[in-house]
Amino acid sequence: MSSARTDRTVEVGDLSVAYSEAGEGRPVVLVHGLAEDRSTWAVQQRELTGWRTYAYDLRGLGDTSLGSADGTLDQLVADLVGFVETVTGPAVLVGFSLGGTLVLRAAADRPDLVTRAVVLGTSSVVGRTAAAFYGERIALMESGSAQERAAALHEDTAPAIVTATDRLDEVVAARVRAVGEGGGYVNAASAMASINQSPLTPRLGEIRCPVDVVGASDDSFCPRKAADIMVAALPDSTYHEVPAAGHLMNVDNPDGVTAVLRSILEGTDQT
């Protein structure tokens, strides 16, 4: 059985937020990563029919407006909290990469809204090399041509896919569309770079809801060490792994991602 997705728009703070909802049941909010939009969760929204899933576009990415972006993690977390308050009420929050970082902060800041947190390909700290990379990409997105932005996205996407390499051009094209003129990418990359100076790890001990940390078997961007750091700091956590997948695990093995999420959500329904 599959579920049709319905596209909607809602006003949250200074934003017009685009989102898709599907399924019936308890609410699950899906938060995408950098250089992506809500379409990255299309498989899960089609297959996870026993829950009401909501996938939204982050500030300035996909079809969501940029608003008065300030390049901070605080603002992106406030956007997520505002979406949950306005649209779903308390929910399971699922985030990939950047989205996972937002989910963890939201769980620490607003325990009343996050019943469970699931983070995929996520790290609670950004090293100096990664921070420098974000700085380079911010400069390119701000001053580069459309062709240069597309070339950079291709360069960054290729090593994140290890099995579905035949889909590279398709995935890059989707990321180019999601990024558009680059404002949302610059905003999100600035927020992620700030974690170099202000790691999220010290806040993890404040999270009281269960947290599921999901890694990919061949993720060179967020390797097992990143997951181990989070699991050690979280009061209530479980590690899961998606096989045959690089960082973009929902490209390499979407069925594996769906299976892990279904297992987690079914366990939640039984508690």
Side-chain angles (χ1 to χ4, degrees):
M1 181 179 180
S2 62
S3 177
R5 298 163 72 226
T6 301
D7 293 326
R8 303 187 187 280
T9 304
V10 63
E11 301 303 308
V12 178
D14 65 329
L15 297 180
S16 177
V17 177
Y19 70 100
S20 301
E21 60 179 294
E24 297 294 337
R26 296 165 71 178
V28 178
V29 178
L30 303 165
V31 190
H32 65 76
L34 183 66
E36 295 184 331
D37 61 19
R38 68 191 190 277
S39 67
T40 60
W41 298 108
V43 171
Q44 285 72 44
Q45 291 205 278
R46 184 176 68 242
E47 299 298 332
L48 296 174
T49 58
W51 300 270
R52 190 69 170 171
T53 59
Y54 301 80
Y56 77 98
D57 288 342
L58 296 181
R59 177 181 291 264
L61 293 166
D63 298 317
T64 291
S65 60
L66 182 61
S68 300
D70 64 11
T72 67
L73 196 69
D74 287 347
Q75 186 182 58
L76 289 175
V77 173
D79 294 343
L80 170 55
V81 167
F83 181 82
V84 174
E85 287 181 320
T86 303
V87 179
T88 71
V92 176
L93 269 53
V94 179
F96 167 70
S97 197
L98 160 66
T101 303
L102 302 181
V103 165
L104 289 172
R105 260 290 304 274
D109 290 350
R110 291 296 304 272
D112 56 314
L113 293 178
V114 187
T115 61
R116 190 179 195 102
V118 185
V119 296
L120 303 90
T122 297
S123 176
S124 57
V125 63
V126 168
R128 285 177 295 179
T129 300
F133 162 80
Y134 287 130
E136 292 170 1
R137 285 296 181 260
I138 288 167
L140 186 147
M141 289 290 170
E142 289 180 329
S143 61
S145 66
Q147 291 78 12
E148 288 170 328
R149 293 197 297 270
L153 288 170
H154 187 283
E155 179 182 344
D156 299 342
T157 303
I161 300 175
V162 299
T163 60
T165 53
D166 59 321
R167 293 189 59 199
L168 177 59
D169 289 344
E170 167 200 341
V171 174
V172 171
R175 289 162 78 84
V176 168
R177 288 193 298 272
V179 167
E181 295 301 312
Y185 182 104
V186 168
N187 183 66
S190 298
M192 285 300 294
S194 72
I195 302 175
N196 174 246
Q197 295 296 319
S198 301
L200 186 58
T201 312
R203 297 286 315 274
L204 299 184
E206 303 172 27
I207 298 175
R208 292 295 173 258
C209 71
V211 180
D212 295 276
V213 178
V214 183
S217 59
D218 301 288
D219 188 346
S220 60
F221 291 84
C222 286
R224 179 62 187 268
K225 180 181 179 181
D228 289 342
I229 290 170
M230 292 188 294
V231 168
L234 289 160
D236 182 0
S237 63
T238 305
Y239 178 75
H240 314 259
E241 189 162 286
V242 176
H247 186 59
L248 290 179
M249 61 185 83
N250 222 356
V251 173
D252 275 329
N253 191 355
D255 291 340
V257 172
T258 302
V260 167
L261 292 181
R262 179 179 285 113
S263 174
I264 292 168
L265 293 171
E266 287 177 349
T268 299
D269 283 345
Q270 292 168 5
T271 58

